[in-house]
């Protein structure tokens, strides 16, 4: 079954620690994205990648980092510089970044900072 | 002011009711409009996609765009308990996935 797999589903972090969220897709999509979802706010784009070894900042990239070493994988690191990291994080992919808006999402990772 | 406004609800309706979900927006350059459905603790999935103004129907779902009023709607006919979810509107100028602007979502519960 093709899709996007995010792990872990739930993650707890102490302040000052970096954490990495995993995102893997087997849809053979070129483009991948990371969004953050907070109550009462729309999805906000953190980073996106159009092709392997290339990625661009989204609207709220501060305190986050990504890599795209393989087409299938787009991990997100939430660093200690992120002031308010508690949120629901969604990874998505599309055939290309110019694709007409259809994003395929994973099931999300909920990060809680203790 | 947010670029896309969506009433968060929650909205509760009895099974079989017609549901109307709405978004307003301020950017007149938006031309591509989408509705995503998100079940609890899951990722969103694309439900409807429209370009420019007009209506689009898919089964029990109808998407409507009124660009002159900067207003989009999603109608659900004969609503079912399985329609209980959060509905997110999304829109962009170019259709590019990386330029989507999302609404905050409306939480819908359909009561059996």
């Amino acid at each position: 079954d093709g899709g996007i797999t995010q792990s872990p589903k739930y993650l707890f972090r102490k302040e000052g620690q970096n954490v990495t969220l995993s995102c893997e897709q087997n849809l053979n999509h070129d483009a991948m994205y990371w969004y953050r979802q907070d109550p009462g706010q729309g999805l906000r784009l953190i980073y996106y990648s159009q092709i392997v070894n290339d990625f661009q900042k989204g609207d709220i990239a501060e305190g986050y980092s990504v890599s795209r070493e393989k087409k299938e994988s787009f991990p997100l690191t939430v660093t200690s510089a992120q002031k308010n990291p508690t949120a629901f994080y969604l990874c998505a992919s599309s055939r290309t970044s110019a694709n007409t808006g259809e994003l395929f999402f994973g099931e999300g990772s909920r990060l809680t900072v203790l | 002011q947010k670029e896309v406004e969506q009433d968060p609800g929650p909205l509760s309706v009895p099974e079989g009711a017609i549901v109307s979900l709405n978004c307003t927006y301020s950017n007149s350059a938006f031309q591509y409009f989408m509705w995503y459905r998100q079940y609890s603790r899951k990722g969103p999935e694309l439900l409807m996609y429209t370009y420019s103004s007009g209506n689009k129907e898919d089964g029990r779902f109808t998407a409507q765009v009124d660009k002159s009023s900067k207003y989009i709607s999603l109608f659900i006919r004969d609503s079912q308990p399985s329609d209980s979810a959060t509905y997110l509107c999304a829109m962009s100028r170019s259709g590019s996935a990386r330029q989507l602007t999302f609404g905050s979502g409306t939480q819908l519960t359909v009561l059996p």
Side-chain angles (χ1 to χ4, degrees), chain A residues 39-59:
Chain A
Q41 298 201 44
L43 273 65
R44 291 182 290 168
L45 183 63
I46 303 172
Y47 267 98
Y48 67 95
S49 168
Q50 300 178 73
I51 55 172
V52 175
N53 293 322
D54 179 72
F55 48 82
Q56 306 294 328
K57 291 182 179 180
D59 301 319

Side-chain angles (χ1 to χ4, degrees), chain B residues 35-50:
Chain B
W35 286 94
Y36 282 82
R37 177 175 61 196
Q38 184 176 20
Y39 291 115
S40 181
R41 290 190 279 280
K42 301 289 187 185
E45 56 180 341
L46 183 66
L47 195 59
M48 296 287 283
Y49 174 95
T50 52

Side-chain angles (χ1 to χ4, degrees), chain A:
Chain A
D1 246 350
I4 297 181
T5 302
Q6 287 188 242
S7 63
K9 272 191 174 316
Y10 299 95
L11 186 60
F12 297 89
R13 184 194 101 176
K14 292 183 181 177
E15 282 195 27
Q17 287 182 333
N18 292 355
V19 293
T20 296
L21 308 179
S22 169
C23 177
E24 303 278 329
Q25 56 103 353
N26 60 3
L27 299 167
N28 200 32
H29 285 171
D30 286 329
M32 298 186 74
Y33 312 79
W34 274 104
Y35 287 91
R36 171 179 171 140
Q37 187 173 33
D38 295 284
Q41 298 201 44
L43 273 65
R44 291 182 290 168
L45 183 63
I46 303 172
Y47 267 98
Y48 67 95
S49 168
Q50 300 178 73
I51 55 172
V52 175
N53 293 322
D54 179 72
F55 48 82
Q56 306 294 328
K57 291 182 179 180
D59 301 319
I60 55 164
E62 186 175 347
Y64 299 98
S65 66
V66 293
S67 63
R68 186 89 186 274
E69 296 175 4
K70 298 187 298 181
K71 187 174 184 177
E72 307 79 41
S73 178
F74 191 41
L76 173 74
T77 297
V78 184
T79 75
S80 56
Q82 168 50 233
K83 297 283 184 276
N84 185 20
T86 294
F88 189 53
Y89 291 88
L90 287 160
C91 179
S93 71
S94 63
R95 280 189 293 111
T96 69
S97 66
N99 199 48
T100 49
E102 182 169 13
L103 292 168
F104 293 81
F105 286 89
E107 295 203 339
S109 294
R110 185 166 298 279
L111 172 64
T112 303
V113 173
L114 303 171

Side-chain angles (χ1 to χ4, degrees), chain B residues 72-104:
Chain B
I72 69 170
S73 301
L74 177 71
F75 297 96
I76 307 174
R77 290 185 300 281
D78 187 25
S79 55
Q80 303 294 310
S82 58
D83 295 327
S84 298
T86 296
Y87 290 81
L88 307 167
C89 63
M91 49 197 80
S92 73
R93 289 179 290 117
S94 66
S96 168
R98 69 178 181 269
Q99 294 179 342
L100 281 176
T101 300
F102 284 85
S104 56

Side-chain angles (χ1 to χ4, degrees), chain B residues 18-22 60-64 73-77:
Chain B
I18 297 174
V19 176
S20 171
L21 304 167
N22 311 295
R60 296 184 296 111
F61 299 90
T62 299
Q64 200 170 74
S73 301
L74 177 71
F75 297 96
I76 307 174
R77 290 185 300 281

